[in-house]
Amino acid sequence: MKFSVNWLKQWVELDLSAAQLAERLTASGLEVDSVDPVAADFDGIVVAEIESCQPHPSADKLSLCTVNDGSAERLQIVCGAPNARAGIKVPLARIGGRIGADFSIQKAKLRGVESHGMLCSARELGLSDDHSGLMELPQDTELGANFRDWLALDDHSIEIDLTPNRADCLSIRGLARDVAASCACEFIDHAIQPVAATSDRNFPIRLEDKEGCPRYVGRVIENVNAAASTPLWMQEALRRSRVRSISAIVDVSNYVMLELGQPMHAFDLDKLDAEIVVRRGRANAGDCEKLALLDGSEVEIGEDVLAICDASGPVALAGIMGGEASAVQDDTQNILLESAWFNPAVIMGKARRYGMHTDASHRFERGVDPQGQSRAIERASQLILEICGGTAGPTIVEESLDLLPTAVPVKLRLHRLNKLIGLEFRQQDVEQILLRLGMNLRFDDSEQTWTVIAPSARVDIAIEEDLIEEVARIYGYNNIPARMPRGEVQIGSAASHEVSLPQLRGLLCAAAYQEAINY
């Protein structure tokens, strides 16, 4: 899991540097693999607008640009980018600016024409590998604004190596709760308001395999502009989490997955036939059903594979990847958003069978929050309506509540906790740790025992030892003093027939006696 520190700080009141946060994460059991700045080391870069763009008098591939950087004076800059044109806003490295440790921007003469600065691509600023042209900025960006401050580039990306049981930390929200507990700071759980339906458009959903998929939530959104541009703030959040920006609707689903931990998918509604059916693959005369996936590959869907289907056949591999035929394109007008809970046992190993590993399968195999599907649908709907427009229908919920996992109360004994950790915890200290982790608890004073119910996202909390481990890691392993093992050894007696003569000789020699052998 890779995430931006600035994004995390939107969910937790944290006053630590990236290095300090990384140290705290590792100490709490979330091992940090890397800490990297999100942009190159540069200075003196501002937002500017190209006011005019003319061909260079002596070079076919160069342009002569007049640039407004927010100051009174217009700058003449020679640029070789193919997308240089009047009216766009771009990053400008002013004279005296710096990119990297060694490259300082100076006034230059290119093919006999003076150039007073450099217009920059995203790759030159360390923001991506794209060097196809200038980095184009939104039109409402303030001229002359410090580019580093405007895009909040004084930020770091941290990558953590999670053990399979900590699926709750495969999201910014889950990470924030854990960081709030280990750092004793405030967790900010953003309220997500339901989107009011402005149309009555529905789409039938049927769960044929209820054990494999006991909950499926959908929503129809009509008249979207699928070709809308993804906002730069969202592109940056994805980039800093090592997710490539593709298109607005796909980017929204990826953004919500990273934020809330719930993988999602959007279908082109007009390409679906009659209904959505969640079922296993079917064999017809010995032949498996086939599906062309988004990555261009074609897979066979066996009878043990869970698929999302319409009346004509499979349209997606459940919990792994969508199909190419129903994918959202720039000309898509109506979409069906899906957010489901799949049984990890059904999804586990299927992606590897097809030689794939997706962000969705990585999460579904480990277990996503069984109560998070509607929250994700509402969040994604908000963002799509904000970015792409459209009208939203009501949420469609198909579920079998008796097949969904529920949090089981776990008993935690104070004396058992103290014995295993080797400290004398007070009741209030333990409760403070568990409450910061989002646990619901009740204390029985007569038995000195808590009854604890973990949040729905904490699918790893099942037995008393799980809770003891939580208390130990949040308290801090480094705060637990190192002591030699202690115990009482009872020396027993042995009958004469149980001890051999060589054993007796050895014992006496060990006690510094010497054996005399005489005639």
Side-chain angles (χ1 to χ4, degrees):
M1 172 73 180
K2 191 169 188 176
F3 65 94
S4 153
V5 174
N6 281 357
W7 192 1
L8 180 72
K9 286 182 177 180
Q10 295 174 17
W11 286 80
V12 61
E13 292 183 359
L14 190 65
D15 188 22
L16 295 176
S17 67
Q20 291 170 327
L21 174 60
E23 185 178 350
R24 192 66 61 88
L25 286 168
T26 298
S28 66
L30 308 178
E31 185 179 353
V32 171
D33 276 351
S34 63
V35 181
D36 302 305
V38 301
D41 178 22
F42 60 77
D43 192 22
I45 312 293
V46 299
V47 176
E49 181 178 10
I50 300 177
E51 292 189 339
S52 67
C53 186
Q54 307 295 332
H56 191 286
S58 307
D60 294 338
K61 294 185 178 181
L62 298 179
S63 300
L64 193 58
C65 302
T66 302
V67 175
N68 179 3
D69 66 349
S71 63
E73 184 182 355
R74 297 297 181 262
L75 303 175
Q76 176 179 277
I77 297 178
V78 177
C79 179
N83 65 331
R85 63 190 186 278
I88 63 171
K89 290 185 176 179
V90 296
L92 163 68
R94 285 173 167 161
I95 299 296
R98 175 182 57 80
I99 299 179
D102 304 321
F103 183 44
S104 179
I105 308 301
Q106 306 292 334
K107 184 169 67 173
K109 185 173 286 190
L110 301 174
R111 293 292 186 93
V113 177
E114 285 189 348
S115 182
H116 300 264
M118 185 178 82
L119 304 179
C120 303
S121 69
R123 190 172 78 176
E124 287 164 337
L125 301 177
L127 300 178
S128 79
D129 293 328
D130 183 13
H131 198 53
S132 60
L134 300 175
M135 182 180 181
E136 298 189 28
L137 307 179
Q139 283 299 310
D140 59 356
T141 312
E142 180 187 355
L143 283 176
N146 183 298
F147 181 75
R148 179 173 285 276
D149 294 340
W150 172 75
L151 208 52
L153 294 175
D154 290 326
D155 185 18
H156 286 77
S157 286
I158 296 179
E159 185 165 13
I160 54 176
D161 187 14
L162 293 170
T163 51
N165 64 313
R166 292 308 307 273
D168 61 298
C169 287
L170 287 169
S171 70
I172 295 294
R173 182 175 183 264
L175 267 173
R177 184 181 287 283
D178 209 78
V179 168
S182 61
C183 297
C185 52
E186 191 68 26
F187 171 61
I188 308 168
D189 197 4
H190 296 278
I192 297 173
Q193 300 300 326
V195 171
T198 52
S199 82
D200 57 359
R201 182 71 184 272
N202 221 314
F203 197 76
I205 295 171
R206 179 161 54 89
L207 303 181
E208 188 173 298
D209 186 348
K210 295 182 179 180
E211 290 189 358
C213 177
R215 175 177 285 141
Y216 192 102
V217 182
R219 167 174 269 149
V220 171
I221 302 181
E222 300 177 285
N223 303 315
V224 297
N225 175 17
S229 298
T230 303
L232 192 55
W233 63 265
M234 183 177 288
Q235 292 184 43
E236 273 296 291
L238 295 175
R239 180 186 72 83
R240 297 177 198 190
S241 299
R242 204 168 50 205
V243 175
R244 183 170 59 91
S245 175
I246 298 173
S247 65
I249 292 174
V250 175
D251 289 351
V252 165
S253 65
N254 284 332
Y255 181 86
V256 173
M257 177 188 69
L258 291 169
E259 184 179 57
L260 302 179
Q262 172 67 46
M264 303 183 68
H265 186 66
F267 297 102
D268 187 323
L269 183 64
D270 299 323
K271 297 175 182 176
L272 296 177
D273 185 6
E275 64 175 347
I276 284 289
V277 184
V278 185
R279 61 171 174 82
R280 302 293 178 111
R282 294 172 181 164
N284 183 17
D287 292 330
C288 294
E289 293 178 298
K290 293 181 172 61
L291 174 65
L293 297 174
L294 287 169
D295 64 357
S297 63
E298 186 179 73
V299 297
E300 292 186 347
I301 302 176
E303 295 180 357
D304 63 333
V305 176
L306 192 65
I308 312 299
C309 309
D310 63 7
S312 301
V315 294
L317 280 178
I320 301 174
M321 188 179 290
E324 189 175 38
S326 59
V328 172
Q329 307 289 345
D330 284 351
D331 59 352
T332 295
Q333 294 182 324
N334 308 305
I335 64 171
L336 174 68
L337 270 181
E338 69 150 27
S339 174
W341 189 87
F342 300 116
N343 190 328
V346 175
I347 305 299
M348 203 174 298
K350 300 301 187 297
R352 287 190 294 279
R353 177 189 300 180
Y354 296 117
M356 293 186 292
H357 179 269
T358 65
D359 289 326
S361 67
H362 187 78
R363 286 163 173 79
F364 280 124
E365 285 180 345
R366 286 154 176 77
V368 302
D369 184 352
Q371 301 299 323
Q373 289 68 53
S374 293
R375 180 171 57 235
I377 277 282
E378 300 296 353
R379 177 62 167 149
S381 299
Q382 287 175 5
L383 292 169
I384 288 174
L385 293 174
E386 180 184 317
I387 298 167
C388 303
T391 55
T395 54
I396 313 156
V397 181
E398 286 296 316
E399 59 187 5
S400 294
L401 293 175
D402 57 321
L403 295 174
L404 282 165
T406 55
V408 178
V410 179
K411 299 287 187 181
L412 174 62
R413 294 164 291 175
L414 181 58
H415 75 88
R416 174 71 172 164
L417 171 76
N418 289 334
K419 182 179 179 182
L420 286 187
I421 297 180
L423 293 174
E424 290 298 321
F425 282 100
R426 297 178 302 169
Q427 176 191 339
Q428 57 266 39
D429 295 333
V430 177
E431 290 181 353
Q432 189 178 36
I433 288 173
L434 295 177
L435 289 171
R436 290 207 307 262
L437 287 166
M439 310 280 182
N440 190 325
L441 49 96
R442 187 180 71 252
F443 188 69
D444 186 330
D445 197 54
S446 61
E447 296 185 1
Q448 294 288 290
T449 299
W450 290 274
T451 301
V452 181
I453 298 178
S456 56
R458 292 302 304 272
V459 295
D460 58 312
I461 303 296
I463 59 176
E464 185 177 34
E465 283 72 17
D466 295 330
L467 293 171
I468 293 172
E469 181 184 7
E470 290 299 291
V471 172
R473 72 180 187 86
I474 297 301
Y475 177 75
Y477 296 122
N478 57 321
N479 294 324
I480 300 174
R483 294 193 182 100
M484 293 295 292
R486 292 184 300 169
E488 293 182 0
V489 179
Q490 297 292 334
I491 301 176
S493 58
S496 59
H497 67 274
E498 293 177 331
V499 182
S500 67
L501 191 59
Q503 284 179 302
L504 289 173
R505 283 197 181 104
L507 288 171
L508 291 167
C509 289
Y513 285 89
Q514 293 182 347
E515 181 180 5
I517 302 177
N518 54 35
Y519 293 105

